Amino acid sequence: EWTIGAVEGSDRIEIAVAGMTGGVKRLELSPEGTLLSTRRNGSGGFPFGRQFLLVMLIPQAVMLLVPLVFAMVLSVMANRHRTSDYRNEELASMTARALAGTLDYLFLCLPAIPAILNALPMFLEDGPDPAAIAGMFTYVAAGMIGGLLLLLGFSVLEGLTGATPGKWIARIRVVGADDLRPCGVGRAFLRKLLLVADGFMNGMVGLLIAAFSEKRQRLGDLVAKTVVIRR
């Protein structure tokens, strides 16, 4: 919605554009149509303050950190009652696995950065418009496709080398439970698919199953017959 009117005491024209979220953008023009100034009401197109977006990031960060803390506690408890039976290799701690999972999650989110950067000006400055919304959905679709390709790439890396970027940093590897060799792309991909269940509640389900299973295997490990060991 928009309105147009004369600026009191001058020959200038003002156009007020109301965004869908309640913000108002005011354009001041000369009689010839030249844009003289742009002003925004409050926080622009976003109905809340700009700090609102930062505040909303806090729960997201907490949700990522909780599994890490939970894994540390479970790791200490499990180590008191369990020893490894894999010759010279040791089973990876729950802390290292949670760290690797968090890092891999951040890597998978990289394709979504363009969508986020494209959406921020829409909410913080100009307010949403049909063209910007269409562009945002395009970026989101591209980000989802990119994330899927990364997931497939992670399956290939894990199947051939036993490590994803997060596991490489955390110094752990995924291997076959029977021979301690790379499990292959098919089993690695099956293991990734089971993240639908293991990743529920930000990975809490997988952490619980792994912490209390004999070989620290989450559901994906049990189905794919894999274990996670220290490098």
Side-chain angles (χ1 to χ4, degrees):
E1 297 180 1
W2 59 276
T3 59
I4 184 170
V7 179
E8 184 178 357
S10 74
D11 56 354
R12 297 178 180 177
I13 301 171
E14 183 179 81
I15 300 176
V17 183
M20 291 189 301
T21 55
V24 178
K25 180 179 179 181
R26 301 181 182 277
L27 309 175
E28 191 173 2
L29 294 86
S30 68
E32 294 78 20
T34 303
L35 180 63
L36 300 175
S37 65
T38 301
R39 292 181 292 115
R40 294 179 178 86
N41 182 20
S43 58
F46 201 60
F48 306 102
R50 298 190 179 190
Q51 295 79 9
F52 178 80
L53 290 178
L54 296 178
V55 172
M56 289 300 296
L57 291 177
I58 296 177
Q60 300 297 324
V62 171
M63 291 175 67
L64 287 175
L65 291 175
V66 165
L68 281 175
V69 177
F70 191 49
M72 292 175 64
V73 176
L74 289 178
S75 183
V76 173
M77 295 174 63
N79 287 335
R80 292 179 179 177
H81 307 286
R82 199 173 288 136
T83 57
S84 171
D85 57 354
Y86 283 97
R87 301 189 297 275
N88 295 327
E89 303 287 353
E90 295 182 356
L91 295 173
S93 69
M94 299 305 300
T95 304
R97 294 183 64 171
L99 174 62
T102 301
L103 292 174
D104 282 338
Y105 174 78
L106 294 177
F107 281 117
L108 288 173
C109 288
L110 289 178
I113 292 179
I116 296 173
L117 296 178
N118 181 68
L120 281 178
M122 182 179 68
F123 286 103
L124 296 180
E125 297 178 1
D126 299 329
D129 60 74
I133 293 176
M136 182 183 68
F137 281 111
T138 301
Y139 278 108
V140 169
M144 293 177 64
I145 294 174
L148 179 60
L149 292 176
L150 268 180
L151 185 62
L152 293 175
F154 282 5
S155 298
V156 173
L157 286 174
E158 193 170 272
L160 298 180
T161 68
T164 58
K167 290 182 176 64
W168 186 82
I169 294 174
R171 300 178 64 82
I172 61 178
R173 296 291 184 268
V174 175
V175 294
D178 298 327
D179 55 10
L180 297 182
R181 297 177 62 85
C183 60
V185 177
R187 290 164 67 184
F189 183 67
L190 176 62
R191 186 176 182 273
K192 293 295 184 189
L193 286 181
L194 267 297
L195 283 173
V196 174
D198 287 322
F200 191 67
M201 294 181 65
N202 271 15
M204 289 292 189
V205 172
L207 285 173
L208 281 173
I209 297 175
F212 297 108
S213 65
E214 182 180 357
K215 300 174 183 177
R216 298 183 191 170
Q217 295 168 296
R218 63 174 177 85
L219 183 60
D221 291 315
L222 292 171
V223 174
K225 296 183 180 180
T226 57
V227 292
V228 185
I229 62 175
R230 295 181 182 178
R231 188 172 67 182

